[in-house]
Amino acid sequence: MSSPSVTQAPPGYADEPVVRLRHPGRWVAAAVVVVLAAMFLHFVATTPQLRPDLVLGYLFERSILRGLLVTIELTAVAMVVGIVLGTLLAVMRLSDNPLLRWVAGGYVGLFRGTPILVQLLFWFFLGTVLPRVSLGVPFGPELVSVSTNTLITQFAAAILGLGLNEAAYMAEIVRAGIGAVDRGQTEAAQALGMSPGLSYRRVVLPQAARVIVPPTANELISMLKLTSLCLVIGLPELLTTAQLIYGRNFQQIPLLIVASIWYLVLTTLLSIVQARVERRMNRGVAGASPRRRTRPALSGVRP
Amino acid sequence: MTTRPLADAAAPMVEALAVRKSFGDNEVLKGIDLTVGHGEVVSLLGPSGSGKSTLLRCINHLETLDGGEISVNGHLVGYRRHGGKKYEMRPREVAAARRDVGMVFQRFNLFPHLTALENVMEAPVFVKGVGRAQAREQAHELLRRVGLPDKPAAYPFQLSGGQQQRVAIARALAMRPSLMLFDEPTSALDPELVGEVLDVMRGLARDGMTMIVVTHEIGFAREVCDRVVFMDGGVVVEEGDPAQVLTRPTHARTRNFLSKVL
Ligand SMILES: Nc1ncnc2c1ncn2[C@@H]1O[C@H](COP(=O)(O)OP(=O)(O)OP(=O)(O)O)[C@@H](O)[C@H]1O
Ligand SMILES: [Mg+2]
């Protein structure tokens, strides 16, 4: 039974016809999808209230484009705040210092434990309980003092709300990424005489990045959509701008379609970039094909 | 009575005195004394859990001691002696002290995101600040020395276990260490790949490298090593000439262990 059966195979095995597995379920699913699509197209075609002319007209309207720009800026700045602060928090959580671990843990607990909408409103209304922010000796003389309302503009409140919240999530992502790197890697780096900082930079983080990048790209895409929450503090990003317009002309649905189209364009672009970056990151992993790199220092061919 | 001179030629390469180490309630090293001279090749034998890896890691300060002390090349490992006290070193100072000691692990621990050549170049370039061109030259030389002249561009996952371990040896040698520590370098290898790694180690021994080798390869210990140290239960049970310890062990525990591995 355990003898190699290949050698005993009777002739003809190689070119016998193969009956492929059939998938009747796929046909049923396809039929359902076609019917639903037809119903949707019919709804669009027979509902003049959707006003495709208005949608087209507002798509490139100036204030909408300005709102779009604010959305992109908010996303970028809040994400940078989130990534930098999140990495710092992750390293703190993995540190030997119990106080740092505790502080970082508390931060993550606080910011993940309250709704982001509440946090946004909180920063926006901070001026009502803390009219002035001052720099100086703790409990001692003040050096500078600024009115909270000039310091925390709408944009600053949005960045604080979105960025500080994002940092809590990024901290968990970065921590998981660092945790996924084998302990033997740090030991090998240390055994070569690398300082803790150098081994983080050269050995741990580059490997952790493979685990960190995909969820970070997802975070970026969610952040793009989360910026629409700034509606509640009246910051004129994409959705707020659309709302301002439909508040005047009562064309809610066409303007919401305009905003949706832009959100979709941006998220689609980001998804494409995400796929590319992930493909590039998979260097040095079995199963993924490493593209031969062209930097001469790295190629194996000697001059 | 303050710090010792920089390089003490008279001092042994490694001197461990009454080394103790515990993990929680588990006392793993219970007072180890071990001296290794310059150019000596010593193999550490002992049953699983006897503390061989822990001792090697203590020598490289990957673990902190709970008692006793270790000196490498006349320098206290992990501490600075001053005015009759031992001061713990900062992580950076510990790191600098490790440059002189190479270590090879059972599971190779090559950096998977770097090619073989880059693995070997990494420490000279980023730790010592050697120029890239020079480091590359040296890395090619080392890969030749471990029998892999044609593999500089390969990533670790493209190499066999034996090849990976040889790259790992080249990587450790790139820092020009005066002491090499091997922790079961062939235990994770298929039997037919063990020989190529042992050959490289044999060559190192021939070139006069000081080596401490934890191994279950009794043949290697007998042929290559100047001395065999047998550990069990966190103490050195017996040590001496390989021919003597391996063929006529004086302790029952050594006999018992050897009867299982031979
Ligand atoms: N980081 C650690 N934390 C807790 N216990 C540990 C740790 N490292 C080692 N030990 C324990 O210390 C004891 C000795 O381990 P060590 O790895 O030194 O043994 P060894 O002689 O190298 O054995 P082997 O031949 O299996 O490698 C074991 O009981 C092990 O469980
Ligand atoms: Mg071990």
Side-chain angles (χ1 to χ4, degrees), chain A residues 2-44:
Chain A
S2 61
S3 63
S5 54
V6 182
T7 53
Q8 297 165 356
Y13 266 41
D15 42 41
E16 234 169 3
V18 172
V19 181
R20 295 266 170 226
L21 192 61
R22 300 195 195 277
H23 301 279
R26 291 185 190 174
W27 291 103
V28 177
V32 172
V33 169
V34 167
V35 170
L36 287 177
M39 284 166 68
F40 176 73
L41 286 179
H42 179 255
F43 167 74
V44 172

mmCIF file of all heavy atoms in Angstrom, chain A residues 2-44:
data_model
loop_
_atom_site.group_PDB
_atom_site.id
_atom_site.type_symbol
_atom_site.label_atom_id
_atom_site.label_comp_id
_atom_site.label_asym_id
_atom_site.label_seq_id
_atom_site.Cartn_x
_atom_site.Cartn_y
_atom_site.Cartn_z
ATOM 1 N N SER A 2 1.984 1.189 0.761
ATOM 2 C CA SER A 2 2.815 2.377 0.873
ATOM 3 C C SER A 2 3.861 2.452 -0.244
ATOM 4 O O SER A 2 4.580 3.426 -0.341
ATOM 5 C CB SER A 2 3.522 2.398 2.227
ATOM 6 O OG SER A 2 4.350 1.259 2.332
ATOM 7 N N SER A 3 3.917 1.400 -1.078
ATOM 8 C CA SER A 3 4.870 1.453 -2.180
ATOM 9 C C SER A 3 4.447 2.540 -3.158
ATOM 10 O O SER A 3 3.258 2.840 -3.288
ATOM 11 C CB SER A 3 4.937 0.101 -2.883
ATOM 12 O OG SER A 3 3.672 -0.173 -3.445
ATOM 13 N N PRO A 4 5.404 3.182 -3.819
ATOM 14 C CA PRO A 4 5.043 4.287 -4.729
ATOM 15 C C PRO A 4 4.096 3.811 -5.826
ATOM 16 O O PRO A 4 4.454 2.967 -6.647
ATOM 17 C CB PRO A 4 6.389 4.745 -5.273
ATOM 18 C CG PRO A 4 7.344 3.641 -4.981
ATOM 19 C CD PRO A 4 6.824 2.903 -3.789
ATOM 20 N N SER A 5 2.875 4.341 -5.816
ATOM 21 C CA SER A 5 1.865 3.865 -6.748
ATOM 22 C C SER A 5 2.079 4.452 -8.133
ATOM 23 O O SER A 5 1.531 3.961 -9.115
ATOM 24 C CB SER A 5 0.477 4.221 -6.230
ATOM 25 O OG SER A 5 0.438 5.596 -5.980
ATOM 26 N N VAL A 6 2.851 5.523 -8.229
ATOM 27 C CA VAL A 6 3.021 6.205 -9.514
ATOM 28 C C VAL A 6 3.619 5.249 -10.555
ATOM 29 O O VAL A 6 3.152 5.200 -11.692
ATOM 30 C CB VAL A 6 3.948 7.433 -9.343
ATOM 31 C CG1 VAL A 6 4.084 8.177 -10.649
ATOM 32 C CG2 VAL A 6 3.398 8.339 -8.261
ATOM 33 N N THR A 7 4.599 4.493 -10.097
ATOM 34 C CA THR A 7 5.275 3.634 -11.063
ATOM 35 C C THR A 7 4.355 2.516 -11.552
ATOM 36 O O THR A 7 4.542 1.980 -12.623
ATOM 37 C CB THR A 7 6.523 3.000 -10.429
ATOM 38 O OG1 THR A 7 6.125 2.370 -9.211
ATOM 39 C CG2 THR A 7 7.573 4.046 -10.149
ATOM 40 N N GLN A 8 3.316 2.210 -10.747
ATOM 41 C CA GLN A 8 2.444 1.092 -11.131
ATOM 42 C C GLN A 8 1.209 1.554 -11.890
ATOM 43 O O GLN A 8 0.351 0.743 -12.240
ATOM 44 C CB GLN A 8 1.985 0.352 -9.871
ATOM 45 C CG GLN A 8 3.156 -0.272 -9.118
ATOM 46 C CD GLN A 8 2.770 -0.688 -7.726
ATOM 47 O OE1 GLN A 8 1.655 -0.447 -7.301
ATOM 48 N NE2 GLN A 8 3.689 -1.324 -7.025
ATOM 49 N N ALA A 9 1.070 2.868 -12.097
ATOM 50 C CA ALA A 9 -0.130 3.368 -12.742
ATOM 51 C C ALA A 9 -0.262 2.780 -14.138
ATOM 52 O O ALA A 9 0.685 2.808 -14.915
ATOM 53 C CB ALA A 9 -0.061 4.886 -12.849
ATOM 54 N N PRO A 10 -1.433 2.228 -14.443
ATOM 55 C CA PRO A 10 -1.624 1.686 -15.790
ATOM 56 C C PRO A 10 -1.554 2.799 -16.821
ATOM 57 O O PRO A 10 -1.840 3.958 -16.504
ATOM 58 C CB PRO A 10 -3.017 1.062 -15.731
ATOM 59 C CG PRO A 10 -3.668 1.610 -14.519
ATOM 60 C CD PRO A 10 -2.605 2.070 -13.598
ATOM 61 N N PRO A 11 -1.190 2.493 -18.026
ATOM 62 C CA PRO A 11 -1.087 3.531 -19.061
ATOM 63 C C PRO A 11 -2.438 4.182 -19.320
ATOM 64 O O PRO A 11 -3.479 3.557 -19.113
ATOM 65 C CB PRO A 11 -0.595 2.758 -20.286
ATOM 66 C CG PRO A 11 -0.931 1.328 -19.995
ATOM 67 C CD PRO A 11 -0.857 1.162 -18.519
ATOM 68 N N GLY A 12 -2.434 5.435 -19.755
ATOM 69 C CA GLY A 12 -3.684 6.108 -20.072
ATOM 70 C C GLY A 12 -4.111 7.066 -18.981
ATOM 71 O O GLY A 12 -4.953 7.914 -19.201
ATOM 72 N N TYR A 13 -3.540 6.972 -17.794
ATOM 73 C CA TYR A 13 -3.923 7.876 -16.710
ATOM 74 C C TYR A 13 -3.664 9.325 -17.066
ATOM 75 O O TYR A 13 -4.381 10.216 -16.650
ATOM 76 C CB TYR A 13 -3.113 7.542 -15.448
ATOM 77 C CG TYR A 13 -3.820 6.590 -14.528
ATOM 78 C CD1 TYR A 13 -4.524 5.507 -15.055
ATOM 79 C CD2 TYR A 13 -3.810 6.779 -13.151
ATOM 80 C CE1 TYR A 13 -5.177 4.636 -14.220
ATOM 81 C CE2 TYR A 13 -4.461 5.904 -12.312
ATOM 82 C CZ TYR A 13 -5.149 4.822 -12.853
ATOM 83 O OH TYR A 13 -5.786 3.972 -12.029
ATOM 84 N N ALA A 14 -2.621 9.561 -17.837
ATOM 85 C CA ALA A 14 -2.210 10.929 -18.094
ATOM 86 C C ALA A 14 -3.219 11.707 -18.933
ATOM 87 O O ALA A 14 -3.437 12.890 -18.712
ATOM 88 C CB ALA A 14 -0.849 10.945 -18.782
ATOM 89 N N ASP A 15 -3.866 11.016 -19.925
ATOM 90 C CA ASP A 15 -4.727 11.795 -20.823
ATOM 91 C C ASP A 15 -6.199 11.404 -20.752
ATOM 92 O O ASP A 15 -6.959 11.573 -21.702
ATOM 93 C CB ASP A 15 -4.194 11.702 -22.265
ATOM 94 C CG ASP A 15 -3.747 10.306 -22.599
ATOM 95 O OD1 ASP A 15 -4.466 9.351 -22.196
ATOM 96 O OD2 ASP A 15 -2.686 10.149 -23.206
ATOM 97 N N GLU A 16 -6.632 10.842 -19.612
ATOM 98 C CA GLU A 16 -8.049 10.580 -19.434
ATOM 99 C C GLU A 16 -8.786 11.906 -19.290
ATOM 100 O O GLU A 16 -8.259 12.841 -18.687
ATOM 101 C CB GLU A 16 -8.245 9.762 -18.157
ATOM 102 C CG GLU A 16 -9.018 8.487 -18.405
ATOM 103 C CD GLU A 16 -8.945 7.584 -17.186
ATOM 104 O OE1 GLU A 16 -8.355 7.976 -16.176
ATOM 105 O OE2 GLU A 16 -9.475 6.494 -17.271
ATOM 106 N N PRO A 17 -10.017 12.027 -19.855
ATOM 107 C CA PRO A 17 -10.735 13.305 -19.716
ATOM 108 C C PRO A 17 -11.101 13.576 -18.255
ATOM 109 O O PRO A 17 -11.355 12.662 -17.493
ATOM 110 C CB PRO A 17 -11.979 13.110 -20.570
ATOM 111 C CG PRO A 17 -12.130 11.643 -20.709
ATOM 112 C CD PRO A 17 -10.769 11.044 -20.626
ATOM 113 N N VAL A 18 -11.084 14.872 -17.899
ATOM 114 C CA VAL A 18 -11.397 15.288 -16.537
ATOM 115 C C VAL A 18 -12.741 15.989 -16.551
ATOM 116 O O VAL A 18 -12.985 16.848 -17.392
ATOM 117 C CB VAL A 18 -10.317 16.252 -16.017
ATOM 118 C CG1 VAL A 18 -10.724 16.837 -14.673
ATOM 119 C CG2 VAL A 18 -8.979 15.548 -15.926
ATOM 120 N N VAL A 19 -13.660 15.604 -15.640
ATOM 121 C CA VAL A 19 -14.947 16.303 -15.542
ATOM 122 C C VAL A 19 -14.812 17.359 -14.464
ATOM 123 O O VAL A 19 -14.574 17.059 -13.308
ATOM 124 C CB VAL A 19 -16.082 15.311 -15.192
ATOM 125 C CG1 VAL A 19 -17.412 16.055 -15.124
ATOM 126 C CG2 VAL A 19 -16.134 14.190 -16.212
ATOM 127 N N ARG A 20 -14.951 18.617 -14.872
ATOM 128 C CA ARG A 20 -14.786 19.725 -13.922
ATOM 129 C C ARG A 20 -15.981 19.789 -12.983
ATOM 130 O O ARG A 20 -17.107 19.464 -13.354
ATOM 131 C CB ARG A 20 -14.670 21.052 -14.683
ATOM 132 C CG ARG A 20 -13.421 21.126 -15.526
ATOM 133 C CD ARG A 20 -12.310 21.798 -14.754
ATOM 134 N NE ARG A 20 -11.045 21.653 -15.479
ATOM 135 C CZ ARG A 20 -9.915 21.299 -14.903
ATOM 136 N NH1 ARG A 20 -9.896 21.047 -13.607
ATOM 137 N NH2 ARG A 20 -8.817 21.203 -15.598
ATOM 138 N N LEU A 21 -15.729 20.274 -11.777
ATOM 139 C CA LEU A 21 -16.782 20.472 -10.791
ATOM 140 C C LEU A 21 -17.709 21.574 -11.282
ATOM 141 O O LEU A 21 -17.259 22.588 -11.801
ATOM 142 C CB LEU A 21 -16.125 20.897 -9.472
ATOM 143 C CG LEU A 21 -16.989 20.882 -8.214
ATOM 144 C CD1 LEU A 21 -17.497 19.478 -7.943
ATOM 145 C CD2 LEU A 21 -16.161 21.377 -7.040
ATOM 146 N N ARG A 22 -19.058 21.362 -11.142
ATOM 147 C CA ARG A 22 -19.991 22.408 -11.569
ATOM 148 C C ARG A 22 -20.408 23.242 -10.378
ATOM 149 O O ARG A 22 -20.394 22.784 -9.244
ATOM 150 C CB ARG A 22 -21.203 21.769 -12.235
ATOM 151 C CG ARG A 22 -20.808 20.968 -13.444
ATOM 152 C CD ARG A 22 -21.981 20.620 -14.318
ATOM 153 N NE ARG A 22 -21.602 19.566 -15.252
ATOM 154 C CZ ARG A 22 -20.963 19.784 -16.402
ATOM 155 N NH1 ARG A 22 -20.685 21.026 -16.774
ATOM 156 N NH2 ARG A 22 -20.640 18.787 -17.186
ATOM 157 N N HIS A 23 -20.765 24.496 -10.660
ATOM 158 C CA HIS A 23 -21.125 25.415 -9.572
ATOM 159 C C HIS A 23 -22.495 26.009 -9.834
ATOM 160 O O HIS A 23 -22.595 27.170 -10.217
ATOM 161 C CB HIS A 23 -20.091 26.545 -9.465
ATOM 162 C CG HIS A 23 -18.699 26.052 -9.209
ATOM 163 N ND1 HIS A 23 -18.271 25.696 -7.961
ATOM 164 C CD2 HIS A 23 -17.652 25.851 -10.036
ATOM 165 C CE1 HIS A 23 -17.016 25.300 -8.025
ATOM 166 N NE2 HIS A 23 -16.620 25.383 -9.280
ATOM 167 N N PRO A 24 -23.574 25.263 -9.622
ATOM 168 C CA PRO A 24 -24.919 25.804 -9.924
ATOM 169 C C PRO A 24 -25.233 27.019 -9.052
ATOM 170 O O PRO A 24 -25.922 27.942 -9.480
ATOM 171 C CB PRO A 24 -25.848 24.640 -9.604
ATOM 172 C CG PRO A 24 -25.056 23.701 -8.739
ATOM 173 C CD PRO A 24 -23.623 23.899 -9.088
ATOM 174 N N GLY A 25 -24.719 27.071 -7.824
ATOM 175 C CA GLY A 25 -24.985 28.200 -6.932
ATOM 176 C C GLY A 25 -24.552 29.520 -7.535
ATOM 177 O O GLY A 25 -25.205 30.543 -7.354
ATOM 178 N N ARG A 26 -23.455 29.479 -8.284
ATOM 179 C CA ARG A 26 -22.972 30.718 -8.889
ATOM 180 C C ARG A 26 -23.980 31.300 -9.864
ATOM 181 O O ARG A 26 -24.125 32.515 -9.971
ATOM 182 C CB ARG A 26 -21.661 30.466 -9.627
ATOM 183 C CG ARG A 26 -20.517 30.172 -8.688
ATOM 184 C CD ARG A 26 -19.234 30.054 -9.450
ATOM 185 N NE ARG A 26 -18.186 29.534 -8.582
ATOM 186 C CZ ARG A 26 -16.973 29.210 -8.994
ATOM 187 N NH1 ARG A 26 -16.654 29.347 -10.264
ATOM 188 N NH2 ARG A 26 -16.088 28.757 -8.153
ATOM 189 N N TRP A 27 -24.642 30.422 -10.587
ATOM 190 C CA TRP A 27 -25.624 30.918 -11.565
ATOM 191 C C TRP A 27 -26.806 31.550 -10.876
ATOM 192 O O TRP A 27 -27.306 32.590 -11.292
ATOM 193 C CB TRP A 27 -26.074 29.767 -12.476
ATOM 194 C CG TRP A 27 -24.956 29.331 -13.381
ATOM 195 C CD1 TRP A 27 -24.185 28.227 -13.252
ATOM 196 C CD2 TRP A 27 -24.473 30.042 -14.526
ATOM 197 N NE1 TRP A 27 -23.242 28.177 -14.235
ATOM 198 C CE2 TRP A 27 -23.395 29.288 -15.044
ATOM 199 C CE3 TRP A 27 -24.839 31.238 -15.162
ATOM 200 C CZ2 TRP A 27 -22.678 29.687 -16.165
ATOM 201 C CZ3 TRP A 27 -24.135 31.625 -16.286
ATOM 202 C CH2 TRP A 27 -23.058 30.859 -16.773
ATOM 203 N N VAL A 28 -27.257 30.941 -9.781
ATOM 204 C CA VAL A 28 -28.370 31.512 -9.026
ATOM 205 C C VAL A 28 -27.970 32.894 -8.506
ATOM 206 O O VAL A 28 -28.709 33.876 -8.667
ATOM 207 C CB VAL A 28 -28.744 30.582 -7.843
ATOM 208 C CG1 VAL A 28 -29.857 31.226 -7.018
ATOM 209 C CG2 VAL A 28 -29.158 29.215 -8.355
ATOM 210 N N ALA A 29 -26.767 32.966 -7.918
ATOM 211 C CA ALA A 29 -26.303 34.237 -7.367
ATOM 212 C C ALA A 29 -26.231 35.291 -8.469
ATOM 213 O O ALA A 29 -26.657 36.434 -8.292
ATOM 214 C CB ALA A 29 -24.941 34.050 -6.709
ATOM 215 N N ALA A 30 -25.714 34.905 -9.649
ATOM 216 C CA ALA A 30 -25.586 35.850 -10.754
ATOM 217 C C ALA A 30 -26.962 36.377 -11.157
ATOM 218 O O ALA A 30 -27.139 37.583 -11.388
ATOM 219 C CB ALA A 30 -24.905 35.177 -11.935
ATOM 220 N N ALA A 31 -27.961 35.485 -11.207
ATOM 221 C CA ALA A 31 -29.310 35.901 -11.597
ATOM 222 C C ALA A 31 -29.847 36.922 -10.601
ATOM 223 O O ALA A 31 -30.406 37.964 -10.994
ATOM 224 C CB ALA A 31 -30.227 34.673 -11.669
ATOM 225 N N VAL A 32 -29.668 36.657 -9.294
ATOM 226 C CA VAL A 32 -30.154 37.591 -8.270
ATOM 227 C C VAL A 32 -29.490 38.953 -8.451
ATOM 228 O O VAL A 32 -30.149 39.997 -8.421
ATOM 229 C CB VAL A 32 -29.869 37.019 -6.858
ATOM 230 C CG1 VAL A 32 -30.188 38.058 -5.795
ATOM 231 C CG2 VAL A 32 -30.682 35.747 -6.625
ATOM 232 N N VAL A 33 -28.188 38.934 -8.675
ATOM 233 C CA VAL A 33 -27.453 40.192 -8.820
ATOM 234 C C VAL A 33 -27.962 40.976 -10.029
ATOM 235 O O VAL A 33 -28.178 42.194 -9.961
ATOM 236 C CB VAL A 33 -25.932 39.931 -8.943
ATOM 237 C CG1 VAL A 33 -25.189 41.200 -9.363
ATOM 238 C CG2 VAL A 33 -25.385 39.416 -7.622
ATOM 239 N N VAL A 34 -28.200 40.278 -11.150
ATOM 240 C CA VAL A 34 -28.674 40.952 -12.360
ATOM 241 C C VAL A 34 -30.023 41.619 -12.108
ATOM 242 O O VAL A 34 -30.240 42.789 -12.450
ATOM 243 C CB VAL A 34 -28.760 39.950 -13.538
ATOM 244 C CG1 VAL A 34 -29.538 40.554 -14.692
ATOM 245 C CG2 VAL A 34 -27.356 39.552 -13.983
ATOM 246 N N VAL A 35 -30.922 40.903 -11.422
ATOM 247 C CA VAL A 35 -32.245 41.468 -11.148
ATOM 248 C C VAL A 35 -32.112 42.713 -10.262
ATOM 249 O O VAL A 35 -32.699 43.766 -10.535
ATOM 250 C CB VAL A 35 -33.153 40.403 -10.466
ATOM 251 C CG1 VAL A 35 -34.440 41.054 -9.963
ATOM 252 C CG2 VAL A 35 -33.466 39.286 -11.450
ATOM 253 N N LEU A 36 -31.317 42.610 -9.214
ATOM 254 C CA LEU A 36 -31.150 43.755 -8.309
ATOM 255 C C LEU A 36 -30.552 44.953 -9.043
ATOM 256 O O LEU A 36 -31.002 46.089 -8.866
ATOM 257 C CB LEU A 36 -30.258 43.365 -7.121
ATOM 258 C CG LEU A 36 -30.894 42.440 -6.090
ATOM 259 C CD1 LEU A 36 -29.891 42.064 -5.007
ATOM 260 C CD2 LEU A 36 -32.116 43.112 -5.445
ATOM 261 N N ALA A 37 -29.570 44.690 -9.901
ATOM 262 C CA ALA A 37 -28.940 45.770 -10.646
ATOM 263 C C ALA A 37 -29.957 46.440 -11.566
ATOM 264 O O ALA A 37 -30.013 47.669 -11.683
ATOM 265 C CB ALA A 37 -27.750 45.234 -11.441
ATOM 266 N N ALA A 38 -30.787 45.626 -12.189
ATOM 267 C CA ALA A 38 -31.799 46.173 -13.095
ATOM 268 C C ALA A 38 -32.778 47.056 -12.325
ATOM 269 O O ALA A 38 -33.152 48.148 -12.774
ATOM 270 C CB ALA A 38 -32.539 45.038 -13.795
ATOM 271 N N MET A 39 -33.178 46.576 -11.120
ATOM 272 C CA MET A 39 -34.095 47.369 -10.313
ATOM 273 C C MET A 39 -33.467 48.710 -9.935
ATOM 274 O O MET A 39 -34.135 49.756 -9.966
ATOM 275 C CB MET A 39 -34.468 46.592 -9.028
ATOM 276 C CG MET A 39 -35.467 45.478 -9.264
ATOM 277 S SD MET A 39 -35.552 44.345 -7.848
ATOM 278 C CE MET A 39 -36.275 45.410 -6.612
ATOM 279 N N PHE A 40 -32.178 48.676 -9.604
ATOM 280 C CA PHE A 40 -31.494 49.904 -9.205
ATOM 281 C C PHE A 40 -31.443 50.889 -10.375
ATOM 282 O O PHE A 40 -31.781 52.071 -10.236
ATOM 283 C CB PHE A 40 -30.080 49.574 -8.719
ATOM 284 C CG PHE A 40 -29.268 50.791 -8.377
ATOM 285 C CD1 PHE A 40 -29.533 51.522 -7.213
ATOM 286 C CD2 PHE A 40 -28.260 51.233 -9.231
ATOM 287 C CE1 PHE A 40 -28.790 52.644 -6.899
ATOM 288 C CE2 PHE A 40 -27.521 52.370 -8.916
ATOM 289 C CZ PHE A 40 -27.783 53.066 -7.750
ATOM 290 N N LEU A 41 -31.051 50.384 -11.554
ATOM 291 C CA LEU A 41 -30.958 51.255 -12.733
ATOM 292 C C LEU A 41 -32.324 51.854 -13.050
ATOM 293 O O LEU A 41 -32.436 53.039 -13.375
ATOM 294 C CB LEU A 41 -30.431 50.459 -13.929
ATOM 295 C CG LEU A 41 -28.937 50.145 -13.869
ATOM 296 C CD1 LEU A 41 -28.523 49.330 -15.085
ATOM 297 C CD2 LEU A 41 -28.123 51.441 -13.781
ATOM 298 N N HIS A 42 -33.380 51.014 -12.915
ATOM 299 C CA HIS A 42 -34.728 51.494 -13.188
ATOM 300 C C HIS A 42 -35.097 52.629 -12.235
ATOM 301 O O HIS A 42 -35.642 53.659 -12.628
ATOM 302 C CB HIS A 42 -35.718 50.316 -13.052
ATOM 303 C CG HIS A 42 -37.132 50.716 -13.286
ATOM 304 N ND1 HIS A 42 -38.041 50.860 -12.258
ATOM 305 C CD2 HIS A 42 -37.791 51.032 -14.435
ATOM 306 C CE1 HIS A 42 -39.196 51.240 -12.746
ATOM 307 N NE2 HIS A 42 -39.072 51.352 -14.081
ATOM 308 N N PHE A 43 -34.724 52.439 -10.938
ATOM 309 C CA PHE A 43 -35.005 53.469 -9.940
ATOM 310 C C PHE A 43 -34.295 54.778 -10.294
ATOM 311 O O PHE A 43 -34.898 55.856 -10.300
ATOM 312 C CB PHE A 43 -34.551 52.963 -8.555
ATOM 313 C CG PHE A 43 -34.495 54.031 -7.508
ATOM 314 C CD1 PHE A 43 -35.671 54.553 -6.952
ATOM 315 C CD2 PHE A 43 -33.275 54.525 -7.040
ATOM 316 C CE1 PHE A 43 -35.625 55.535 -5.986
ATOM 317 C CE2 PHE A 43 -33.224 55.514 -6.076
ATOM 318 C CZ PHE A 43 -34.398 56.020 -5.543
ATOM 319 N N VAL A 44 -33.013 54.646 -10.684
ATOM 320 C CA VAL A 44 -32.256 55.851 -11.026
ATOM 321 C C VAL A 44 -32.872 56.548 -12.234
ATOM 322 O O VAL A 44 -33.049 57.773 -12.257
ATOM 323 C CB VAL A 44 -30.772 55.493 -11.304
ATOM 324 C CG1 VAL A 44 -30.017 56.697 -11.854
ATOM 325 C CG2 VAL A 44 -30.099 55.002 -10.019
#
